């Protein structure tokens, strides 16, 4: 089954395919939704259980991830029928007539009356030739393939929409990360000035802390307030996300993992922030990352 390895596919889709032959009509319905892996469930009519491995193989060739439900419904038409006498039931009727004949004065039953008894005369369908059954199974498999092609087309169309939205969210994450980098609170001079103010305050309070201990504590505070590493990692994640979107194919799991990494850096940024403006940028980052994650979770 033809499937572009470069395209981004959604895991959501639906397809329906109708078919039939001289005796039976059928309908394939295929629905797929989000899933952590590929989970295929087939609901087939009695007598067509042999199609189950065919369905699973075909879906696995078409889809890498998603919960895929495949339903086949069959409707039998007016197949040729033959009349057949139920010999066992007829023997029981004749035996009963023989036992009752001497006890009653009723006239002997007519043949048409006996045949009119329920179950004595049955209409049965002609047995299908093996070649007809094989032809039907081949037609069913062909319609299944056509249905999966339609499902892929819908998943690809939805994937193209998701791709555009994901790129927009990544652009916004990059913009916010740059805004955080440009924020005065992240500049070395601002950090040094705040440290000087803290040193002066501690000295005024005459806390009795040694100069060495004071230097150590201030160094720790400086490290905690420095978010440049987080911003560098955010920039690297942005680049990796764009590479995955350009690569295409089944990249949903990798993108989902990147969203977790994005969120980790945004959380650290917020926890380190000692500036209202930087905190607001961090919260906006978290919001954009969550929007990206919502889209990514539907990518195959």
């Amino acid at each position: 089954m033809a499937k572009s390895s470069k395209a981004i596919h959604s895991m959501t889709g639906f397809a329906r395919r109708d078919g039939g032959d001289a005796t039976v009509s059928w309908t394939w319905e295929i629905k797929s939704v989000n899933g952590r892996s590929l989970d295929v469930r087939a609901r087939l009519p009695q007598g067509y259980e042999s199609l189950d491995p065919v369905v699973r193989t075909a879906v696995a060739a078409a889809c890498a991830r998603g919960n895929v439900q495949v339903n086949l419904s069959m409707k039998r038409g007016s197949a040729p029928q033959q009349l057949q006498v139920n010999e066992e039931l007829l023997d029981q009727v004749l035996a009963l007539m023989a036992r009752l004949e001497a006890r009653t004065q009723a006239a002997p039953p007519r043949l048409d009356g006996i045949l009119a008894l329920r179950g004595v005369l049955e209409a049965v369908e002609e047995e299908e030739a093996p070649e007809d059954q094989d032809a039907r199974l081949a037609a069913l498999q062909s319609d299944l393939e056509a249905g999966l092609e339609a499902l892929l087309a819908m998943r690809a169309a939805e994937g193209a929409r998701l791709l555009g939205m994901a790129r927009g969210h990544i652009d916004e994450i990059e913009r916010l990360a740059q805004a955080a980098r440009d924020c005065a609170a992240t500049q070395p001079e601002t950090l040094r000035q705040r440290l000087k103010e803290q040193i002066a305050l501690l000295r005024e309070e005459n806390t009795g802390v040694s100069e060495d201990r004071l230097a150590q504590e201030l160094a720790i505070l400086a490290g905690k307030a420095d978010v440049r590493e987080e911003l560098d990692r955010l920039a690297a994640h942005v680049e990796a996300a764009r590479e995955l979107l350009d690569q295409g194919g089944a990249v949903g799991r990798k993108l989902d993992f990147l969203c977790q990494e994005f969120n980790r850096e945004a959380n650290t940024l917020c926890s380190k922030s000692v500036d209202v403006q930087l905190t607001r940028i961090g919260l906006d980052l978290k919001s954009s990352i969550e929007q990206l994650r919502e889209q990514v979770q539907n990518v195959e």
Side-chain angles (χ1 to χ4, degrees):
M1 181 173 300
K3 178 180 177 180
S4 172
S5 59
K6 296 289 290 182
I8 293 287
H9 283 70
S10 166
M11 286 187 282
T12 302
F14 176 81
R16 176 188 174 105
R17 178 75 177 187
D18 297 320
D21 55 25
T23 305
V24 179
S25 61
W26 57 76
T27 298
W28 286 104
E29 286 189 351
I30 311 170
K31 182 175 76 170
S32 66
V33 295
N34 297 0
R36 294 184 62 84
S37 58
L38 181 62
D39 181 17
V40 183
R41 299 184 182 184
R43 183 179 299 171
L44 304 170
Q46 185 176 0
Y48 292 88
E49 292 84 357
S50 62
L51 287 173
D52 186 83
V54 174
V55 169
R56 296 182 182 278
T57 300
V59 173
C63 305
R65 292 177 67 202
N67 294 322
V68 183
Q69 177 72 51
V70 181
N71 296 330
L72 172 62
S73 58
M74 311 284 291
K75 184 177 181 181
R76 185 166 292 276
S78 55
Q81 293 184 330
Q82 290 181 334
L83 292 177
Q84 176 179 293
V85 175
N86 186 329
E87 298 289 349
E88 182 178 351
L89 182 58
L90 178 60
D91 288 344
Q92 294 179 17
V93 171
L94 293 176
L96 181 59
M97 289 170 51
R99 289 202 305 271
L100 296 176
E101 185 176 2
R103 297 167 55 184
T104 65
Q105 302 298 320
R110 293 162 51 92
L111 179 60
D112 57 350
I114 296 176
L115 293 178
L117 293 173
R118 173 185 261 178
V120 174
L121 195 61
E122 299 174 327
V124 295
E125 296 179 358
E126 293 183 2
E127 186 174 349
E128 282 189 318
E131 54 269 22
D132 293 336
Q133 297 177 356
D134 293 341
R136 179 176 301 144
L137 290 175
L140 281 164
Q141 186 170 348
S142 177
D143 283 340
L144 170 64
E145 295 282 348
L148 285 171
E149 289 285 356
L151 179 75
L152 280 183
M154 178 174 286
R155 284 169 59 124
E158 176 67 10
R161 187 184 70 83
L162 291 175
L163 176 61
M165 297 178 68
R167 289 192 186 279
H169 293 315
I170 291 171
D171 289 345
E172 179 65 8
I173 291 170
E174 183 180 46
R175 186 192 70 78
L176 289 168
Q178 185 58 48
R181 195 180 295 275
D182 295 338
C183 180
T186 65
Q187 301 305 309
E189 183 57 38
T190 302
L191 292 175
R192 282 195 295 269
Q193 184 60 37
R194 286 188 174 174
L195 288 175
K196 289 180 181 179
E197 293 172 358
Q198 290 173 340
I199 292 173
L201 180 62
L202 290 173
R203 284 175 174 170
E204 288 177 3
E205 293 178 353
N206 193 20
T207 57
V209 179
S210 68
E211 290 293 328
D212 289 341
R213 178 62 184 275
L214 182 60
Q216 292 175 3
E217 292 296 327
L218 290 176
I220 293 173
L221 288 174
K224 288 182 177 180
D226 190 353
V227 295
R228 285 174 293 181
E229 287 188 10
E230 286 73 21
L231 294 174
D232 288 342
R233 284 193 288 267
L234 278 172
H237 296 337
V238 165
E239 182 179 354
R242 285 176 174 153
E243 288 177 356
L244 285 174
L245 293 177
D246 291 339
Q247 170 187 329
V251 295
R253 285 181 176 174
K254 293 179 180 179
L255 287 169
D256 189 48
F257 173 76
L258 265 181
C259 285
Q260 297 177 38
E261 296 302 305
F262 272 127
N263 204 47
R264 189 193 313 276
E265 304 305 333
N267 284 334
T268 305
L269 182 69
C270 289
S271 66
K272 284 187 172 184
S273 174
V274 292
D275 181 84
V276 173
Q277 181 186 1
L278 185 59
T279 300
R280 288 174 178 170
I281 294 173
L283 293 175
D284 288 342
L285 258 175
K286 288 172 63 67
S287 175
S288 293
I289 292 166
E290 178 61 22
Q291 291 172 358
L292 175 63
R293 188 188 67 85
E294 289 176 358
Q295 303 303 325
V296 161
Q297 288 189 333
N298 199 29
V299 173
E300 185 179 52

